[in-house]
Amino acid sequence: MTEELKGQVAVVTGAARGIGAAISHQLASMGATVILVARDKASLDQVRQDIEAAGGSAQTAPLDLLDESSISRLAETVESQHRRCDILVNNAGIGLIGKPLVEMAPSDWDTLMGTNLRGPYLMIRALAPMMISAQSGHIINISSLAGKNPLANGAAYSASKWGLNGLTYSVAEELRPHNIRVSVIAPGSVNTGFSRSDKNAAKKVQPEDVARVVAMLVTQAPQSFVSEVLLRPTQKP
């Protein structure tokens, strides 16, 4: 445990497993109180217990990012209980990869875009006002190298991540005058079970690798910020 983030409040979506859980552990180990957001309450409770067992502080907030009212209630709870939100990590995402776009149902498109792109918009809309009031904050969006390159049989996922990148760059310009730094991390193959299983897991980027980048971003010197990180495996898995 360290104290770089002591007294700060971090909200992490997709915190029940994988990259989100690793980021939550990392921020808690640095002294932040972490609000764990995901649909799976049982898994969130386990992450919270693990953080607390390691000496950290965490709270669970089970919700569906497709539900705008739930996100509004989350913001109200964070405001009333903590009076601040220093860090927002928009990590939650779904893939629905494996078939060409012409075979994708419109309902699946809507669910994917609602989770991967509309969700971060709603979270920023709900929580950034606290950062604006404080004239301080970090927003980190977890994208993908699929948002930099074409992805056959994953066109909708790729489009959502290209969109998230554009959202990040633009919101960064809107919030810079308020001393709020908005960054995007675009990992390649991550060992989470999210991507194809025919690759060497040991060679993939690990969730903890992404978490360490988040730690770096939220402890940058105040006069500068890293706007984008492309995180690739050293060796192709």
Side-chain angles (χ1 to χ4, degrees):
M1 293 288 296
T2 59
E3 295 190 345
E4 298 105 311
L5 303 179
K6 184 177 181 180
Q8 296 192 31
V9 173
V11 177
V12 181
T13 70
R17 59 182 58 82
I19 293 172
I23 291 170
S24 299
H25 278 279
Q26 179 70 56
L27 296 176
S29 75
M30 298 167 71
T33 295
V34 184
I35 313 298
L36 308 168
V37 178
R39 291 176 295 179
D40 187 341
K41 184 179 185 302
S43 295
L44 285 181
D45 285 339
Q46 185 61 59
V47 174
R48 175 185 56 79
Q49 291 169 17
D50 292 344
I51 287 173
E52 291 175 346
S57 175
Q59 300 174 6
T60 61
L63 62 80
D64 189 337
L65 288 178
L66 300 178
D67 184 354
E68 179 182 347
S69 61
S70 293
I71 293 174
S72 297
R73 288 193 295 272
L74 168 67
E76 291 169 1
T77 299
V78 173
E79 172 79 43
S80 64
Q81 292 185 359
H82 301 284
R83 301 293 179 187
R84 63 190 298 163
C85 177
D86 303 278
I87 300 165
L88 168 61
V89 181
N90 286 309
N91 164 72
I94 59 174
L96 303 182
I97 295 168
K99 63 175 67 174
L101 186 70
V102 295
E103 296 179 11
M104 186 176 201
S107 59
D108 287 340
W109 171 279
D110 290 343
T111 299
L112 186 146
M113 290 297 174
T115 304
N116 294 6
L117 193 52
R118 185 172 183 265
Y121 147 67
L122 290 174
M123 292 294 292
I124 292 169
R125 182 174 181 269
L127 294 169
M130 275 183 274
M131 299 181 181
I132 292 171
S133 295
Q135 291 292 289
S136 177
H138 291 272
I139 298 172
I140 300 169
N141 296 323
I142 308 300
S143 182
S144 168
L145 289 181
K148 292 286 185 180
N149 302 288
L151 181 63
N153 296 323
Y157 177 75
S158 180
S160 74
K161 295 304 185 178
W162 281 84
L164 185 60
N165 293 344
L167 179 77
T168 303
Y169 310 146
S170 301
V171 174
E173 293 304 308
E174 294 174 2
L175 295 181
R176 284 173 75 177
H178 302 288
N179 201 35
I180 298 166
R181 294 181 276 188
V182 186
S183 307
V184 62
I185 303 173
S189 297
V190 182
N191 185 27
T192 61
F194 184 85
S195 57
R196 297 199 311 270
S197 59
D198 60 341
K199 295 184 176 183
N200 187 331
K203 290 184 178 180
K204 290 182 177 181
V205 173
Q206 302 300 311
E208 293 75 17
D209 298 330
V210 182
R212 283 189 284 271
V213 175
V214 171
M216 179 269 291
L217 293 176
V218 300
T219 54
Q220 288 286 289
Q223 73 275 7
S224 64
F225 79 107
V226 176
S227 59
E228 180 178 48
V229 176
L230 308 184
L231 187 62
R232 306 175 188 272
T234 302
Q235 299 181 20
K236 291 186 177 181

